[in-house]
Amino acid sequence: MFFQCSMGQNTLKDVIDKMNIRELIEFERYCMDYGMWDMFQSCYSDDGQVTDCWIKGDISSYTNAACTAVIPVKHKIFDTLIWKNGRKAVAECLAMYESRCPFDEDVVDLSAHVRFHYRLEKQNGNWKILSVIPIYEKDTMGSMYADGSFRADRQELAAQRSSYANVMLLQRKYGRTPDDTLPGEDRPELVTALYEETSRWLGM
C-alpha cells in the first residue's frame, strides 16, 4: 500500500515537491470556501475529477455546480500527508468541514470529520490535482441555539450511512440525492479498495 512507504527520508527535491503539493491542496480548499472558483479550477488538471457527497464529475462540471451551491461549507485543515513516486503523488488532507444553514424553523450547525484523498501529477513543472474523493469518519448536527427546536430523528439517521448520516440528512433536506457508496469508516472495505487502486496507480 502507498502508506507503507518510508517517511522522514526526503531529499531536498522531495521536500520542495511536498511543500508545493501541500500548499496547492490547502489553497484548493480555501478557494472553495471563499468562492474563488477560477482559482479553484486552476488547481486541477484539465481532466481532473471531483467526487463529493452530492455530485461527481469533471472539474468544469463540478465547479459550475458548486458555485451555485445552497449549502455553505467552510473547511478546517488539521494536517496533510503526502506520498510521492516520481511525477505522481498521493495526499490525504485530514480535515473537518462545517456548515450553518436553515432547517425547518431552526438553524443548524453541521460538522463532518473527513480525509480528502488526492491523486496528483506534476505537469509542465507544476503539480496539479487529478482527483479527490472524501473518506468520511463521523459527523454531527445540532441547532445553533441552546433552545433550538431541531432534533434529528433516530430512525431517519439510522437509515443513512453512519459515517456521514447527518451530512446525508442535510443533503436530502435541500433536495439532493447523496451518494451512499463513498468510502468511510463504517465501510472499511471501500477504503481498502480505494487504497489498493491508488497504490497501483502510484506504482507502489
Side-chain angles (χ1 to χ4, degrees), residues 41-49 59 123 128-131:
Q41 191 164 336
S42 73
C43 296
Y44 286 79
S45 65
D46 292 341
D47 58 350
Q49 297 287 315
I59 183 59
Q123 301 177 350
K128 294 290 184 178
I129 299 168
L130 299 181
S131 66

Side-chain angles (χ1 to χ4, degrees), residues 33-65:
D33 286 354
Y34 297 102
M36 302 162 58
W37 296 111
D38 289 342
M39 297 302 295
F40 172 78
Q41 191 164 336
S42 73
C43 296
Y44 286 79
S45 65
D46 292 341
D47 58 350
Q49 297 287 315
V50 181
T51 299
D52 208 336
C53 60
W54 61 283
I55 188 172
K56 176 180 180 180
D58 64 84
I59 183 59
S60 294
S61 299
Y62 180 84
T63 302
N64 290 337

Side-chain angles (χ1 to χ4, degrees), residues 26-37:
E26 294 183 357
F27 183 61
E28 177 248 9
R29 293 289 105 179
Y30 178 86
C31 290
M32 177 183 285
D33 286 354
Y34 297 102
M36 302 162 58
W37 296 111

